[in-house]
Amino acid sequence: MIRLMRVDHRLLHGQVAFSWTQELGVNCILIANDDVPNNDIRKTAMKLAKPQGVKLVIKNIENSIKALQSGVTDKYKLFIVVESVADAYALATAYPKIKQINLGGTKPADGTKQISKAVNLTPDDESKLNELIEKGCEIEIRQVPNDKKVFFKDIE
């Protein structure tokens, strides 16, 4: 059962690893990213940041979608972490059971607009998020669970 999907350019770090996993009561974290499975340094960093007693699975986007669709993840209380809105969009469109996305942090870059303290989006990101909202997905912005939940649809 998917508890939450989070977009965070840092992927797994202290804030995510501890506050979110505790709040959500998850027993498995899926890092869905095309770079990390082939990057030993990033993979090692993810393993070090993982909370004790929580399973960590690292897969590329395509294999993450296959795992979700196959039902192999159904036995877990799952927390999915992706690096970008594009990755979240790919997973959520391929697997419509993803109904809640948390925007936790995206880097500022050329062409992005800052919509919160830690979230910067391109016009394409905004378009993708609006499409997911139209399909019934809740998109909220919070860095940590104690922050006030701000809904993306309410931001202009």
Side-chain angles (χ1 to χ4, degrees):
M1 174 186 179
I2 299 168
R3 298 279 200 206
L4 183 67
M5 179 161 58
R6 177 179 169 92
V7 177
D8 191 324
H9 67 92
R10 297 173 294 173
L11 293 171
L12 192 61
H13 55 91
Q15 182 174 293
V16 170
F18 295 97
S19 61
W20 281 104
T21 54
Q22 285 182 344
E23 175 74 17
L24 298 168
V26 299
N27 57 12
C28 184
I29 298 170
L30 169 61
I31 302 293
N33 180 274
D34 285 337
D35 176 60
V36 175
N38 305 311
N39 184 324
D40 289 338
I41 292 171
R42 288 185 83 192
K43 198 182 323 181
T44 299
M46 301 296 139
K47 289 177 182 176
L48 290 171
K50 174 191 86 67
Q52 198 167 358
V54 176
K55 180 178 178 68
L56 176 65
V57 178
I58 299 171
K59 292 184 176 293
N60 65 28
I61 298 300
E62 182 183 338
N63 288 336
S64 295
I65 290 168
K66 286 179 184 172
L68 290 166
Q69 290 174 338
S70 76
V72 73
T73 61
D74 291 354
K75 63 186 173 194
Y76 297 108
K77 295 174 191 157
L78 191 62
F79 181 32
I80 303 170
V81 185
V82 297
E83 194 168 36
S84 68
V85 169
D87 290 347
Y89 178 83
L91 266 70
T93 53
Y95 192 71
K97 289 184 182 175
I98 295 171
K99 293 292 183 196
Q100 189 178 21
I101 299 173
N102 164 262
L103 301 177
T106 55
K107 285 192 246 185
D110 286 345
T112 62
K113 175 174 84 176
Q114 186 173 19
I115 64 161
S116 78
K117 186 170 90 174
V119 177
N120 301 273
L121 300 175
T122 65
D124 185 55
D125 291 338
E126 291 185 49
S127 175
K128 283 178 167 64
L129 293 172
N130 283 321
E131 186 181 323
L132 291 173
I133 289 168
E134 285 173 22
K135 292 178 179 178
C137 194
E138 179 186 285
I139 315 284
E140 52 111 347
I141 303 163
R142 279 190 293 174
Q143 287 188 280
V144 292
N146 295 343
D147 288 349
K148 183 180 182 293
K149 191 186 274 196
V150 175
F151 293 100
F152 175 73
K153 66 180 173 49
D154 296 337
I155 292 180
E156 268 312 314

